[in-house]
Amino acid sequence: MAATPSGTPRARVHVVSDVHGNARDLARAGDGADALICLGDLVLFLDYADHSRGIFPDLFGVENADRLVELRTARRFEEARELGARLWGGIAMDRATAIEKAVRKQYAEMFAAFPVPTYATYGNVDMPPLWREYAGPGTTVLDGERVEIGGWVFGFVGGGLRTPMRTPYEISDEEYAAKIEAVGEVDVLCTHIPPEVPELVYDTVARRFERGSRALLDAIRRTRPRYSLFGHVHQPLVKRMRIGATECVNVGHFAGTGRPWALEW
């Protein structure tokens, strides 16, 4: 922790979300900060900006990745699932084993890039059971839990809500609300998904509303944290807005920008 000329303590944290395989920039994301906060989605299954990157094109090729993105963007989810089923049926290794093998390779690289200290929670495309194997002593994983950093209390809630995309860490609204309730009153509420506000959940490139949390929105209005920090929506209609006393900030699509969001107090 740094100090101002008057001797008053001052802290600085850098916050990232939606890392999606960007280990190079992640290794520098904590430079100049007292701590790094990561709001999840370390895994890169398919890069919607570059269809040649990710687990899916590595297994099935770019042409199939192009088609999958086309179907998902058009919200033709059933056809997308049928395409996936046909492709998975054509490989020797079963789906779960193939995905876990690829995710393990990415996690080894991502967790090695985390600076010390890092405080992290899961995104909706992450696989929580594997985090315990890869998180080193300098990385604290929190979900429905709190931690004090520089005199402020930070609460963490990971994962996403259930969608037709069926990503690995989607949970029920009730389970998510229980984690929000467990965190309670904090100075900074850190989540992967945003509160359920149309301007915060609409992705202008994907042209769809992502799932935000009504329980999170209610908690912000009720407990009035200084900040609500989140990611998940890569190109939001609005990146930042106030809800009552709370500054709500989409900290950005780190895979695309390579830049952390900074918070000082």
Side-chain angles (χ1 to χ4, degrees), residues 38-58:
C38 178
L39 304 182
D41 273 9
L42 300 182
V43 172
L44 179 61
F45 187 76
L46 176 57
D47 189 333
Y48 277 58
D50 180 355
H51 303 170
S52 68
R53 298 182 64 243
I55 295 171
F56 189 90
D58 286 349

Side-chain angles (χ1 to χ4, degrees), residues 81-240:
R81 281 193 287 272
E82 290 172 359
L83 171 65
R86 289 197 303 273
L87 294 172
W88 283 109
I91 66 173
M93 191 181 302
D94 73 89
R95 179 173 182 162
T97 302
I99 289 178
E100 181 173 323
K101 181 179 179 181
V103 169
R104 284 182 176 279
K105 181 179 179 181
Q106 291 189 11
Y107 277 169
E109 187 177 12
M110 295 297 104
F111 279 92
F114 275 144
V116 176
T118 290
Y119 302 90
T121 196
Y122 316 113
N124 61 293
V125 303
D126 286 312
M127 299 177 68
L130 298 184
W131 280 40
R132 291 187 292 271
E133 296 183 37
Y134 292 94
T139 299
T140 303
V141 179
L142 303 127
D143 189 16
E145 299 165 283
R146 302 147 55 102
V147 67
E148 184 176 320
I149 306 172
W152 281 14
V153 177
F154 288 69
F156 291 79
V157 174
L161 298 174
R162 288 175 181 158
T163 73
M165 304 284 279
R166 299 181 182 177
T167 51
Y169 191 42
E170 294 181 353
I171 60 177
S172 70
D173 290 64
E174 293 75 17
E175 186 179 351
Y176 194 88
K179 292 196 294 185
I180 292 288
E181 185 67 24
V183 166
E185 295 186 14
V186 295
D187 293 295
V188 184
L189 189 49
C190 299
T191 59
H192 178 67
I193 62 174
E196 182 59 69
V197 176
E199 296 88 344
L200 296 176
V201 300
Y202 185 74
D203 191 304
T204 60
V205 174
R207 301 191 304 277
R208 65 171 179 255
F209 290 96
E210 303 289 357
R211 287 228 47 200
S213 169
R214 180 71 193 194
L216 173 57
L217 177 60
D218 291 343
I220 290 169
R221 289 172 170 163
R222 184 178 68 254
T223 65
R224 298 163 61 87
R226 301 172 192 261
Y227 289 90
S228 166
L229 307 180
F230 47 86
H232 187 56
V233 182
H234 293 178
Q235 299 90 14
L237 184 63
V238 173
K239 296 181 179 180
R240 186 169 184 157

